[in-house]
Amino acid sequence: MVSKRSGTLEEIQENSSERHIMTLSILGAGNIGSALAGHFAKKSIPISIANSRGPASLEPLCKKLGSNIKAVELAEALQADMVILALPFSAVALLTDKTDWAGRIVIDATNAIDFPAFTPTDLGGKLSSEVVAELLPGARVVKAFNTLPAVVLGGIPEEAAGRRVIFLSGDDAEGRAAVGAVIESLGFAPIDLGNLAAGRSQQFGEPLVMRNLLLQA
Ligand SMILES: NC(=O)c1ccc[n+]([C@@H]2O[C@H](COP(=O)([O-])OP(=O)(O)OC[C@H]3O[C@@H](n4cnc5c(N)ncnc54)[C@H](OP(=O)(O)O)[C@@H]3O)[C@@H](O)[C@H]2O)c1
């Protein structure tokens, strides 16, 4: 399991009393999944990646990004300690019974959007991440990486003027700390908004979406 200590991803892993290396995976290898995989590759942080079509379909991406990015079957990716959801919001419901979600940290990068209107899906007053948390029972859901367009997210996180901001929110403080450490390790500046309800402003249709901000040193 993930250490209770906070810090960078490396510190969390090195301080872990169980000496357990936290495993990471990305579900989805489209715009957002590929952008994130690129950052893990640049920082030489091993991560697995999966889609619904199997590892062979991801060979070109993995070849381009290098050996730290490993294409796996969806079932294997679902076993990681920290799972990043980079797939359509509607696909999250398909994952409910695919693994035991209890205690697992899930980074929810999805947005619930109606196409082609490009408007927020009516979820009966619930936040999309609250719906995700209901769909993945026991998971420690942290919303992150959902506010920037993929082309911006995939760009350089550290500029001369500062580090690009990634907002996060979630009901589990330890989960938020672990996700913040991952965000730091990729070179971004995490801003922790608090619990899911407090993170409403980072949900699709709310003010923090599309805000490309730099945190000055
Ligand atoms: N694009 C953006 O700028 C942006 C920005 C912020 C947030 N988001 C959100 O991020 C999420 C992903 O967006 P995207 O633009 O990256 O979408 P995308 O390019 O369409 O990629 C979606 C990925 O999910 C995979 N996938 C679909 N159903 C799956 C399933 N049941 N199991 C496993 N993998 C599945 C797809 O691969 P296969 O079909 O081969 O399985 C594909 O690799 C969405 O919720 C979106 O709202 C997007």
Side-chain angles (χ1 to χ4, degrees):
M1 290 298 293
V2 178
S3 163
K4 287 196 168 122
R5 297 174 183 90
S6 61
T8 66
L9 178 62
E10 279 177 355
E11 282 165 357
I12 284 179
Q13 294 191 330
E14 280 174 13
N15 290 339
S16 169
S17 55
E18 303 91 358
R19 309 298 296 170
H20 173 83
I21 300 299
M22 184 171 61
T23 54
L24 304 151
S25 72
I26 304 173
L27 307 188
N31 301 304
I32 293 293
S34 300
L36 290 174
H39 287 301
F40 283 96
K42 278 186 203 125
K43 297 293 184 182
S44 302
I45 302 171
I47 192 162
S48 60
I49 187 162
N51 62 7
S52 67
R53 287 176 294 137
S57 68
L58 297 171
E59 264 175 30
L61 177 71
C62 293
K63 201 172 167 191
K64 185 176 118 193
L65 295 179
S67 59
N68 282 307
I69 311 303
K70 186 181 170 208
V72 298
E73 295 287 353
L74 184 60
E76 183 178 339
L78 285 163
Q79 301 310 311
D81 298 319
M82 186 182 285
V83 177
I84 303 176
L85 303 180
L87 28 69
F89 176 75
S90 57
V92 179
L94 304 173
L95 303 174
T96 300
D97 300 325
K98 292 265 196 287
T99 189
D100 177 6
W101 290 102
R104 199 79 56 81
I105 296 174
V106 170
I107 302 182
D108 176 22
T110 70
N111 283 323
I113 302 173
D114 284 346
F115 294 99
F118 206 63
T119 51
T121 302
D122 182 356
L123 299 170
K126 286 182 185 164
L127 304 180
S128 67
S129 295
E130 292 171 341
V131 174
V132 168
E134 284 176 12
L135 290 169
L136 310 179
R140 299 186 282 175
V141 174
V142 178
K143 184 115 191 128
F145 297 120
N146 71 303
T147 57
L148 292 172
V151 67
V152 176
L153 181 67
I156 298 167
E158 293 150 302
E159 296 188 10
R163 285 180 300 146
R164 199 168 314 291
V165 167
I166 299 293
F167 295 102
L168 66 126
S169 56
D171 289 344
D172 183 87
E174 189 182 332
R176 291 204 309 275
V179 173
V182 169
I183 292 168
E184 288 264 6
S185 297
L186 298 180
F188 292 95
I191 292 189
D192 184 345
L193 300 173
N195 64 21
L196 285 181
R200 170 177 289 275
S201 52
Q202 75 171 115
Q203 298 277 324
F204 185 75
E206 300 291 340
L208 295 181
V209 171
M210 305 291 275
R211 293 286 174 263
N212 181 9
L213 307 176
L214 295 176
L215 188 70
Q216 292 181 315

